[in-house]
Amino acid sequence: MKFGTWIILGLGAAAVAVGIVLAFNNPTIDNTDEGTYVCFAPYDTVLLGQRDNVGMHDDAEDIEDRCFAASRDRFVLSSVIASGGAAAGASGLLIARRQRTR
């Protein structure tokens, strides 16, 4: 395989890894009544349908809504990055196969 093919495969693998990390990384929101609040991970919110139970905060409903939006947006971003990485990896494999058959 040529060096450029290795670069494409490496970038694809790195993008998939970044997408996975983003799906499991808990987003935070600022400006709550107690400062910064750590939300559920994006996969919890989007795939498992969990909502943050904030409890006795004065702005509990606002925090829940903002956490849901932050987790949903992060999950969409992680899905796009991981899908692009998978597409780059598949392209790299196809390029490597064409180079081998020549």
Side-chain angles (χ1 to χ4, degrees), residues 32-52:
T32 66
D33 62 349
E34 292 187 14
T36 302
Y37 184 82
V38 179
C39 305
F40 283 150
Y43 77 94
D44 281 333
T45 302
V46 175
L47 297 179
L48 303 178
Q50 294 181 348
R51 302 267 304 190
D52 286 86

Side-chain angles (χ1 to χ4, degrees), residues 5-62:
T5 307
W6 284 108
I7 290 175
I8 292 172
L9 290 172
L11 289 175
V16 169
V18 167
I20 290 171
V21 167
L22 285 175
F24 286 93
N25 186 14
N26 295 25
T28 58
I29 56 172
D30 295 325
N31 302 325
T32 66
D33 62 349
E34 292 187 14
T36 302
Y37 184 82
V38 179
C39 305
F40 283 150
Y43 77 94
D44 281 333
T45 302
V46 175
L47 297 179
L48 303 178
Q50 294 181 348
R51 302 267 304 190
D52 286 86
N53 291 333
V54 179
M56 303 304 289
H57 290 273
D58 293 335
D59 55 350
E61 190 173 312
D62 180 53

